[in-house]
Each structure stands twice: as structure tokens, then as C-alpha cells.
Amino acid sequence: MLMDALGLSAGAFVLLTFATRDPAMLRRLAIVSNLLFIAYGAIAGMLPILLLHACLLPLNLWHLDKLLGCACCSTSIARHRQELSAREFAWSLQGYRVRSPL
């Protein structure tokens, strides 16, 4: 019963990741899904599922950290892109072209 609930919940979270447009929310839902699938794989004794989601979990955490920025400098990629766009605009007024590193 618990095993079925974990598996169905994990699957539901995977479906929710496909329904969201916000990248940060997508990563949060994927992390919950990974945790549920890890628990499901451990209880059901399904090593491939356990290993797959154990590998996907750090990737999703890493991508979420990139999206939200690190706590030490509190800069996010979106903010960096905004600053870069402002710099590109200022340089374009001077006749220069700036390449975006992102």
C-alpha cells in the first residue's frame, strides 16, 4: 500500500513537471519526484529506479541553484541576464556590440 502510494505520487509529480512553465517550479517538482522515486525504488527493491533518481536528484538541485543563485552572493541567472541586457543597451548606444556569455 505504501509502495503503491509512493509510486503513484512520484508519477503525479512527474506529470506536474510537464504542466509547469516556471523553470524553478519545474526543478522543485522534479526534486520532490526524485525523492519519492528514491523511496519507492528502495522499498520496492527496484535498483534501476533508485539509481536513476539518485543520479537525477543532484542534477536537479544543481540546476535549481543556478536558477535561484547562491546564497552567498544572492545573484541569480535572471538578474545577471538583466544586468547584461542593460550593459548591452548602454554599449549599443555607443556603437559597440557585446556578446552574451549566457
Side-chain angles (χ1 to χ4, degrees), residues 2 5 9 12 17 25 27-28 33 44 54 57 64 73 83 86-87 94 98 100:
L2 173 65
S9 298
T17 61
M25 181 57 70
R27 293 296 174 182
R28 288 182 183 109
S33 172
L57 180 61
L64 181 63
C73 60
E83 291 170 359
R87 204 174 333 140
Q94 298 173 2
V98 179
S100 173

Side-chain angles (χ1 to χ4, degrees), residues 13-28:
F13 274 93
V14 169
L15 286 175
L16 285 172
T17 61
F18 285 100
T20 186
R21 291 181 178 216
D22 179 30
M25 181 57 70
L26 183 144
R27 293 296 174 182
R28 288 182 183 109

Side-chain angles (χ1 to χ4, degrees), residues 31-102:
I31 289 166
V32 172
S33 172
N34 292 145
L35 292 171
L36 289 169
F37 268 119
I38 288 169
Y40 173 70
I43 291 173
M46 296 182 178
L47 191 60
I49 289 176
L50 178 67
L51 291 176
L52 171 65
H53 290 279
C55 291
L56 289 174
L57 180 61
L59 289 173
N60 280 316
L61 288 168
W62 181 64
H63 283 290
L64 181 63
D65 182 57
K66 278 185 7 181
L67 284 170
L68 299 179
C70 65
C72 61
C73 60
S74 66
T75 57
S76 66
I77 289 193
R79 185 171 162 202
H80 180 71
R81 284 187 179 149
Q82 223 174 18
E83 291 170 359
L84 186 64
S85 296
R87 204 174 333 140
E88 284 178 348
F89 177 72
W91 281 50
S92 69
L93 292 177
Q94 298 173 2
Y96 294 105
R97 187 178 167 138
V98 179
R99 283 193 179 176
S100 173
L102 302 176

